[in-house]
Every structure is written in C-alpha cells, then in structure tokens.
Amino acid sequence: LKDQFDNLDKHTQWGIDFLEKYAKFVKERIEIEQNYAKQLRNLVKKYCPKRSPKDEEPRFTSCIAFFNILNELNDYAGQREVVAEEMGHRVYGELMRYSHDLKTERKMHLQEGRKAQQYLDMCWKQMDNSKKKFERECREAEKAQQSYERLDNDTNATKADVEKAKQQLNLRTHMADENKNEYAAQLQNFNGEQHKHYYIVIPQIYKQLQEMDERRTIKLSECYKGFADSERKVIPIISKCLEGMILAAKSVDEHRDSQLVIDCFKSGFEPPGDFPFEDYSQNIYRTISDGTISTPKQEGMRIDSKTTVGKAKGKLWLFGKKPKGPALEDFSHLPPEQRRKKLQQRIDELNRELQKETDQKDALIKMKDVYEKNPQMGDPSSLQPKLTETMSNMDRLRMEIHKNEAWLSEVEGKVAARSDRRHSSDINHLVTQGRESPEGSYTDDANQEVRSPPQQHAHPNEFDDEFEDDDPLPAIGHCKAIYPFDGHNEGTLAMKEGEILYIIEEDKGDGWTRARRHNGEEGYVPTSYIDVTLEKNSKGA
C-alpha cells in the first residue's frame, strides 16, 4: 500500500464518519429513553391519587393494587432514566471524546505523510534540475568542440581565433564535468531519499494509521458492549418492578372489597314491611238480598292512603336515593350505622388531640419547674399564658368528647332496647335468625344506631336454664385470631392474637361468628378478626 496514500486517507476519514454516525445513533436512543421515562412519569403522576383526607383514602384491594402498580411503574421509569444516563456517560460521551482524539491523531499522521512526500518531490526536482543542467552543458561542450575543430582545420583562420575556440572548449568541458558530478550527487541523494521514503518513512506512517484504525474498531466493539451492558444492568431491578406488579395483581381480593362495600354503606335499618291491603270497595253500596253476601264495613280497616304512602316512603329512602339535607353536628342526618361510625371516629380524633394537649401540658409544667429551680434559664411566669391556653383546650376537648359519647350512648341504648324487644318476641329463632349485626341495627328512630355483639336472650333466667340443659353445639371448624379482641360487651368472647378457637356457628352475614375455647367458654367474636377454617361436611355436622 506504499502508493495508496490517498485511499488510506479516504478510509480513515470514513472510519471517523462511521464512528460519529454510531455516536449519533446512541444519542437518539438516549433521547428516546429520556422521553419514554418522562412520559411514564407523567402518566403515573396523572393517575396517581392526590393527597386526600384520611376518610377518602383508597381501601379497596383493587385500588391499592393499582396504586402499587403505579409506584412500580414509576420505579421502572427511573430505571429507563438510569439506562439513558449510563449510555450517555459510558457510550456517547466516550465516543465523542475518542472521535476528537482520533481526528487529531489522524491529522498528525497525514501531515507527516504529506511532508515526507513533499520532501521526496523536492529531492526529485533538485535531481531533475541538475540532470537538465548537465544535459545542457554537454550540448554546449559539443558545440564548442565542433567550433574548435572547424577553425583548426580552416587554413584561413587566424591563430588567435583557434586559441580562443580552444579556450571556450576547455571551459565548456570543465562546466560539463562539474554539472555531471552535481547530477550524480543529486541522483544518489534522490535514490537514497526515495528508498528511505518507501521503505522506512511511509511504512511507519501507515503502521501508525493502521494502529489508529484498529483502535477505532476496538473502541466501537467496546461501545457496542457498553450499549448492551447499560440495558442489562437494570434488568434485575426491572424484573423486581414487574414482580411487584404481579404481586399487586395477586393481592386483589374480591371478597374483601365486597365486605368493605358492605361495611361502608350498611345503614343498620331493616327492609320495610309489607304494604297493607287497602280495600276501596267499602264505599260501594250494594243491594242486599238473600243470595248476596255483603262484607260489613270495618272502620278500623280503613287506612289513609296518604299516611301509608308517607310512612312507606320514610323507610324506602334508605334503599333508594338518600334525602339531601344539611350535615348536622351529631350526624343525625345519617343512617344509624354510618352515624355510629362517624361519632366513633370523631371521638377517637378528639382523644388523640386531648393526648397531645396533655403531653404539651406536662412538658410545660416540667419546663416551669426547671425555670423555678434555675431562674437564669428563663422566667417561669412567661409559661403561664401558654399553660392556661393548654388547660382551656383540654377542657374544651373533654366537653366535646363527653358530648359525642352521650350521643353515641344514646344511639346504642335505643338500639339495645329495641333489640331486647325483638329477641323476646322471636325466642325460637334466637341463634339462627335473631342475632343483631355488630355493626348496628334498625330502630324506631331512624337517626339512632348501635354497635354490640349478638344478644343471647331476652329473658336471661329462663333461657339460661334451657341452654344449660341442651348439649353443647358441635364444632364445625376452627379459627385463628388475627387481631386481639377485648370482648367487654355481654355475649362476646375475648381472645388474644394467635389464639386457636373452635367454630360452633358460622357468620350469618352480621359480621359475628360464634366460637368456643378449649375450656368450654363460648361467645361471639368479630369475623374480620379471625382466619376461619371449616371442616368438610360442616353443614351436615
């Protein structure tokens, strides 16, 4: 390739162009990754729930799973950003730096080659000029010799002319000899430089160009590998994100969601009773004869249709559209169960606030004692206004708690009274149908409710005697307590977390399950607090 300098120039330039072309490809890939990550984050932000009050937080497993998937998708977008960053630093940035160094190195080698070629051309010109001068002097010497010989043979020529021609011949011959020596020296120098050029200088330059091109090829190979490694490094984390999405999908529990809907919307009311028959034929006058059977008028059976419809509507709203009205402080505008929940929730919040104020009061008292013992640390009287304000807040909170507890007790008292009446009238269906829901039941007052365990009997003395004579109910399964339960109310069974109990009666839809300890103690426990396992053929048992 000694004579292919121009082609090698083109090839090295093509190599640099290809390197920059690949760098441009990587840059566009980085932009795609960045835009993809940005769009994913915007998508997550669009569908992620904004901060809302605690009551409005998603509780359904399907919603929680979706929000977990959004979080995993956000992490996935972060990994796409990591890929873009890694490619930008390890591949694109390295390619651009190497391309700049490659151009500088190539320019230097090509300049060295051009200088070597220019020096060889200069040597050739010097040799060619000495050759032409030697050729010219030889022709002049030949002309001088021919002129001398012509005058020497001419008898008419004078001796002075012959002598002058001889001197001219000697001069031309001497100059021709000098140019000959000069030409020989230049020729020898050119041949040496030419040998050096093609066997030493140019091969060395070509070798450097070859090494440069091979390094470029190796660099491309490393960048190809780095391009793939940037993606491969995040695969484990991306796999975890996808596994998180799968776990979120598996966490969806349709039964739990249905139970949440029931707990959220159940009102504690009972369905309305049957509509009475309204006989409008009482006003029809008939001719009474022996063969005619007449229905006597019964004033007691006459019912005002407006009153009946009005009463019916008063019950039916619970199962239709809820009447609109202003929100009252005691939540009496709500159905019983919802009212009980709201009151209990407010009491819990007030108790938390009271605890905060109590802690603040204790801290102020301690600080006041420290100031009294060490006056240089502060004035004790400066804490009195804050302490007074804290005490006032505590009194206010206690009054609020007392007021809400009174409303709650009123609800529970009225519902308990009605529950006793219903149990006494339906003693035969005490266990299977007469249990009240622990979440609340219907009362005559549509604004009252209760949260109590199933009532075991209306007449304790009579029923206890009957119950003691019967054999104990057989166990149909067992359960494990997921949460502890105090069981302060009558008819309930206290349990500790992890305790194993026998199931003697399933949940009838009211949220309570009847259980028995190993020592024979029985009672009702919340179904949501236990993990139930029923034996096979339990219904037959």
Side-chain angles (χ1 to χ4, degrees), residues 199-357:
Y199 289 94
I200 299 176
V201 178
I202 289 298
Q204 184 67 26
I205 294 174
Y206 284 2
K207 183 179 180 181
Q208 292 173 349
L209 288 173
Q210 180 181 351
E211 292 175 353
M212 179 193 73
D213 195 63
E214 289 176 354
R215 288 199 307 272
R216 175 191 63 83
T217 306
I218 293 173
K219 178 60 68 174
L220 279 173
S221 175
E222 293 175 353
C223 289
Y224 294 160
K225 184 175 179 296
F227 185 83
D229 287 341
S230 300
E231 186 84 20
R232 186 171 59 183
K233 282 183 179 179
V234 301
I235 287 179
I237 303 179
I238 290 178
S239 298
K240 289 183 179 179
C241 294
L242 298 177
E243 290 175 3
M245 294 181 186
I246 293 174
L247 291 177
K250 291 181 179 179
S251 68
V252 176
D253 187 350
E254 67 279 9
H255 301 297
R256 183 177 177 185
D257 286 355
S258 298
Q259 189 61 40
L260 285 173
V261 174
I262 295 172
D263 294 340
C264 181
F265 294 110
K266 66 180 178 182
S267 63
F269 288 105
E270 289 184 347
D274 295 337
F275 280 88
F277 176 75
E278 301 178 22
D279 191 358
Y280 295 101
S281 64
Q282 297 293 333
N283 297 325
I284 301 176
Y285 296 95
R286 298 180 180 179
T287 303
I288 301 176
S289 62
D290 295 337
T292 303
I293 298 176
S294 175
T295 303
K297 295 182 181 181
Q298 299 177 4
E299 295 298 332
M301 296 296 296
R302 297 184 64 182
I303 301 173
D304 189 352
S305 60
K306 294 183 179 180
T307 305
T308 304
V309 174
K311 291 182 179 179
K313 286 184 177 180
K315 293 183 179 181
L316 282 178
W317 73 264
L318 295 171
F319 306 94
K321 289 188 176 180
K322 196 172 182 179
K324 297 181 179 179
L328 302 177
E329 184 182 5
D330 60 351
F331 301 112
S332 58
H333 63 287
L334 295 176
E337 173 61 18
Q338 305 302 323
R339 184 188 179 197
R340 186 202 61 78
K341 288 183 179 180
K342 290 290 186 181
L343 288 172
Q344 188 63 51
Q345 183 179 3
R346 181 188 286 172
I347 292 172
D348 294 339
E349 291 177 355
L350 291 172
N351 283 325
R352 285 194 292 269
E353 293 181 10
L354 179 60
Q355 185 61 40
K356 290 181 181 178
E357 295 293 336

Side-chain angles (χ1 to χ4, degrees), residues 103-223:
K103 289 179 180 179
T104 304
E105 184 180 0
R106 173 179 174 274
K107 183 178 180 181
M108 181 184 68
H109 294 326
L110 293 179
Q111 285 179 350
E112 291 176 355
R114 292 191 180 93
K115 287 181 180 179
Q117 187 65 40
Q118 291 174 358
Y119 179 72
L120 183 63
D121 293 341
M122 183 187 69
C123 293
W124 182 83
K125 288 181 180 180
Q126 291 178 354
M127 184 273 296
D128 187 60
N129 290 335
S130 61
K131 177 183 177 181
K132 291 179 179 179
K133 189 174 181 181
F134 171 61
E135 182 182 5
R136 186 173 60 254
E137 292 298 332
C138 287
R139 285 197 298 268
E140 292 294 333
E142 288 177 359
K143 291 180 180 179
Q145 185 177 1
Q146 291 175 1
S147 176
Y148 169 72
E149 291 177 353
R150 186 178 67 255
L151 290 174
D152 188 36
N153 294 328
D154 188 4
T155 55
N156 296 325
T158 62
K159 186 177 181 180
D161 293 336
V162 173
E163 192 64 26
K164 183 178 179 181
K166 184 178 180 180
Q167 291 177 357
Q168 185 68 24
L169 174 62
N170 293 334
L171 177 63
R172 290 297 178 184
T173 302
H174 178 70
M175 292 180 67
D177 291 339
E178 289 181 354
N179 286 321
K180 179 180 179 181
N181 294 333
E182 178 68 19
Y183 168 63
Q186 291 294 337
L187 179 62
Q188 184 179 3
N189 180 63
F190 172 75
N191 289 334
E193 293 296 335
Q194 181 175 254
H195 184 275
K196 180 181 177 181
H197 177 80
Y198 285 108
Y199 289 94
I200 299 176
V201 178
I202 289 298
Q204 184 67 26
I205 294 174
Y206 284 2
K207 183 179 180 181
Q208 292 173 349
L209 288 173
Q210 180 181 351
E211 292 175 353
M212 179 193 73
D213 195 63
E214 289 176 354
R215 288 199 307 272
R216 175 191 63 83
T217 306
I218 293 173
K219 178 60 68 174
L220 279 173
S221 175
E222 293 175 353
C223 289

